[in-house]
């Protein structure tokens, strides 16, 4: 399996070589500032004790407090958390919010725990870690298998231990607990705004039918995943005239050359638990979805989706990386050789952390923005970031990924 931290470092090295960045400063960014490992004892419902392992990687705080999610997964490990904290530093710098990069995790399959055990584990993690967190130190958020409820327990524990009222210590909270309007939609819609800008910049080849001249009517799109990110991206692109021909989830994919109705797909998934047997579609595998001849391909589920093994088989000429780390450096080289344009994760999916910043800002200033305001400001951030990255791509004649790293690294290095 590809080591995500090695991939992350390689991506930065390419940017450093391309833009001749200061190598001592770049070397500093290759090493997270701090890595914290804790053990968390939990009394289980049957009276036994289990000890869980928890982590936090604080990559860099030049731009502001460390910022990044906490994931609960049985396979979470040092390299994964380090890579994810590294990507957060660059993502925050690309989208130009005053945060550094962090990421945390607990080795656990949360589905095996009762709600009481999950609460004890989450509070236990905060008890061990709280001195490293704070609204102006390190601000966690939900990630894989964590949610607003878990964040609420952690915030409560933090406030008890620190003796402060600190809504800004965590983002991704429920609206009534200080969360921001627009956060749920932010990552998917943010990806949609980038797609709109890429189209306007002429980065997406005119489709075989319809074409840019007729608007977006002819553009076909296939999306891997149908969770939070993919659902809101689907809603955005459907409203803006793209034709969604394929969607998938962990159980497999569905295809229709006539286009898939997103609201029907959402209803179907809610009722039956998967996309399987969605009316008017035929079944395809996740591998088949990735190899479809579409104008836009969107990985919105997992890491390491495009590798040296399958990159040559990808027919789409435009990829929008909504998942974190879906493309290995080897696949990136193949895509560049084959003329496939890839909008990198640190730009494409940065809408989520952008609205997390808005949440933190509202908490720190005791403000409450409407959804309309939050999404308008998100759009402005996404447009500005896209333009900067596109300009760097033209200036250095490089891929959008390398350009995004150059923009982010320049921002961090100039403040270091
Ligand atoms: P989610 O848990 O809501 O949805 C994940 C989706 O992926 C589900 O539909 C699931 O069925 C599908 N999936 C899981 N395993 C799969 C497999 N083997 N093949 C195909 N599909 C599979 O998660 P999400 O919040 O939508 O996040 C999706 C991706 O976007 C992740 O990589 C995440 O790190 C990234 N991301 C999310 C956010 C955010 O704000 N939620 C922000 C930035 C990046």
């Amino acid at each position: 399996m590809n080591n995500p931290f090695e991939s992350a470092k390689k991506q930065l090295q390419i940017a450093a070589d391309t833009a001749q960045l200061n190598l001592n400063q770049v070397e500093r960014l290759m090493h997270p500032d701090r890595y914290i490992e804790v053990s968390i004892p939990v009394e289980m419902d049957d009276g036994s004790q289990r000890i869980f392992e928890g982590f936090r990687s604080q990559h860099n705080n030049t731009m502001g407090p460390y910022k990044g999610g906490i994931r609960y997964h049985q396979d979470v490990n040092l390299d994964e958390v380090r890579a994810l904290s590294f990507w957060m530093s660059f993502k925050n710098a690309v989208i130009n919010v005053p945060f550094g990069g962090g990421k945390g995790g607990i080795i656990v399959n949360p589905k095996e725990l009762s709600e009481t055990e999950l609460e004890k584990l989450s509070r236990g993690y905060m008890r061990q870690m709280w001195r490293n967190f704070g609204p102006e130190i390190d601000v966690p958020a939900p990630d894989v298998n964590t949610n607003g409820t878990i964040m609420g327990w952690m915030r409560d524990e933090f406030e008890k231990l620190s003796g402060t009222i600190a809504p800004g210590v965590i983002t991704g909270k429920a609206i009534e607990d200080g969360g921001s309007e627009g956060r749920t939609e932010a990552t998917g819609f943010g990806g949609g705004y980038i797609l709109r800008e890429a189209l306007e910049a002429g980065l997406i080849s005119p489709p075989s039918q319809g074409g840019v001249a007729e608007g977006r009517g002819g553009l076909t799109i296939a999306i891997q995943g149908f969770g939070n990110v993919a659902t809101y991206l689907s809603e955005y692109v459907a409203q803006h005239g793209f034709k969604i021909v394929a969607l998938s989830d962990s159980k497999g994919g569905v295809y229709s050359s006539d286009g898939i109705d997103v609201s029907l797909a959402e209803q179907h998934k809610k009722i039956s638990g998967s996309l399987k047997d969605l009316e008017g579609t035929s079944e395809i595998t996740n591998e088949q979805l990735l190899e479809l001849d579409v104008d836009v391909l969107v990985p919105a589920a997992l890491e390491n989706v495009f590798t040296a093994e399958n990159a040559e088989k990808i027919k789409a000429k435009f990829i929008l990386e909504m998942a974190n780390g879906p493309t290995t450096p080897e696949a990136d080289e193949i895509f560049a050789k084959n003329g496939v344009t890839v909008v990198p994760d640190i730009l494409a999916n940065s809408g989520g952390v952008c609205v997390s910043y808005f949440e933190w800002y509202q908490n720190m200033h005791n403000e409450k923005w409407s959804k309309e305001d939050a999404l308008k400001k998100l759009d402005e951030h996404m447009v500005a970031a896209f333009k900067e990255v596109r300009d760097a791509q033209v200036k250095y004649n490089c891929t959008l990924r390398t350009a995004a790293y150059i923009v982010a690294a320049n921002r961090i290095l100039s403040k270091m």
Side-chain angles (χ1 to χ4, degrees):
M1 178 55 97
N2 188 66
N3 179 324
F5 191 49
E6 292 307 315
S7 298
K9 289 196 291 188
K10 193 163 176 185
Q11 288 161 350
L12 175 58
Q13 190 60 53
I14 295 170
D17 294 342
T18 307
Q20 298 181 342
L21 302 176
N22 177 315
L23 289 183
N24 282 338
Q25 287 183 317
V26 168
E27 181 61 23
R28 179 69 194 94
L29 293 177
M30 298 285 187
H31 302 265
D33 284 350
R34 195 169 298 106
Y35 183 70
I36 305 149
E37 201 168 348
V38 294
S39 52
I40 310 155
V42 173
E43 188 189 349
M44 307 301 279
D45 292 348
D46 65 3
S48 66
Q49 179 187 255
R50 267 183 75 185
I51 312 276
F52 293 89
E53 246 185 283
F55 314 107
R56 185 76 180 169
S57 172
Q58 296 180 330
H59 175 257
N60 186 277
N61 64 351
T62 302
M63 303 299 294
Y66 304 103
K67 178 92 191 80
I70 298 173
R71 62 176 52 182
Y72 286 4
H73 200 276
Q74 57 276 23
D75 298 329
V76 71
N77 61 59
L78 169 60
D79 278 327
E80 183 183 32
V81 169
R82 279 204 301 203
L84 289 162
S85 69
F86 176 104
W87 281 319
M88 285 307 296
S89 292
F90 288 89
K91 189 181 298 187
N92 291 330
V94 168
I95 194 68
N96 201 9
V97 295
F99 282 138
K103 203 75 172 195
I106 300 179
I107 303 178
V108 59
N109 178 355
K111 289 175 193 128
E112 290 173 357
L113 265 56
S114 71
E115 172 136 333
T116 315
E117 291 165 341
L118 201 59
E119 179 172 350
K120 285 183 188 168
L121 177 67
S122 308
R123 288 181 181 276
Y125 178 86
M126 188 48 94
R127 257 197 311 280
Q128 297 287 51
M129 287 279 187
W130 75 274
R131 284 187 181 79
N132 303 290
F133 288 132
E136 284 166 296
I137 300 171
D138 184 348
V139 183
D143 195 77
V144 175
N145 290 331
T146 53
N147 54 32
T149 305
I150 292 176
M151 295 302 115
W153 293 328
M154 287 191 180
R155 170 190 164 187
D156 184 54
E157 199 63 28
F158 177 87
E159 291 184 334
K160 273 195 218 159
L161 292 162
S162 64
T164 59
I165 303 293
V169 70
I170 275 178
T171 63
K173 300 178 293 291
I175 303 274
E176 58 279 14
D177 293 332
S180 179
E181 293 284 355
R183 175 61 188 89
T184 316
E185 298 86 350
T187 310
F189 279 12
Y193 304 153
I194 292 287
L195 207 48
R196 179 195 67 209
E197 294 303 304
L199 191 63
E200 249 133 58
L203 292 181
I204 305 176
S205 317
S208 40
Q209 5 138 357
V212 172
E214 286 178 36
R216 293 155 197 166
L219 282 169
T220 53
I221 182 163
I223 304 177
Q224 182 190 44
F226 201 52
N228 167 271
V229 173
T231 305
Y232 285 104
L233 176 72
S234 303
E235 283 183 12
Y236 181 89
V237 297
Q239 279 163 14
H240 289 79
F242 288 81
K243 183 158 76 173
I244 301 171
V245 293
L247 291 169
S248 72
D249 58 27
S250 55
K251 299 189 178 115
V254 290
Y255 174 82
S256 165
S257 58
D258 295 334
I260 297 171
D261 182 325
V262 180
S263 43
L264 269 187
E266 279 178 49
Q267 273 171 28
H268 183 88
K269 176 134 178 144
K270 215 174 262 170
I271 294 163
S272 73
S274 82
L275 290 164
K276 215 166 166 337
D277 300 326
L278 175 65
E279 202 186 317
T281 65
S282 52
E283 225 172 278
I284 53 168
T285 64
N286 265 292
E287 291 74 44
Q288 285 170 323
L289 179 144
L290 297 176
E291 293 166 22
L292 286 172
D293 189 4
V294 286
D295 299 305
V296 177
L297 178 61
V298 184
L302 304 168
E303 289 147 36
N304 290 331
V305 171
F306 303 118
T307 64
E309 277 78 59
N310 68 352
E312 287 288 2
K313 297 185 206 149
I314 304 304
K315 296 183 196 76
K317 289 288 180 224
F318 187 92
I319 294 175
L320 183 74
E321 289 186 343
M322 296 307 292
N324 283 315
T327 310
T328 65
E330 297 75 28
D332 248 343
E333 278 175 32
I334 297 169
F335 287 153
K337 172 178 71 82
N338 291 349
V340 179
T341 300
V342 180
V343 181
D345 46 7
I346 60 169
L347 173 62
N349 71 29
S350 61
V353 77
C354 187
V355 177
S356 293
Y357 163 64
F358 297 164
E359 175 178 340
W360 178 86
Y361 182 94
Q362 290 168 77
N363 295 157
M364 301 301 273
H365 294 84
N366 205 14
E367 291 181 13
K368 203 85 202 136
W369 302 352
S370 67
K371 185 182 284 193
E372 204 185 14
D373 265 0
L375 292 176
K376 186 168 168 282
K377 289 187 172 88
L378 170 67
D379 200 342
E380 287 163 6
H381 271 261
M382 300 302 297
V383 169
F386 177 83
K387 286 200 160 52
E388 274 189 285
V389 171
R390 174 74 177 135
D391 287 349
Q393 183 200 20
V394 172
K395 178 173 173 190
Y396 293 103
N397 188 22
C398 60
T399 63
L400 285 171
R401 187 184 317 282
T402 298
Y405 273 92
I406 292 172
V407 168
N410 272 331
R411 192 161 273 140
I412 300 171
L413 299 190
S414 65
K415 214 173 163 229
M416 244 164 106

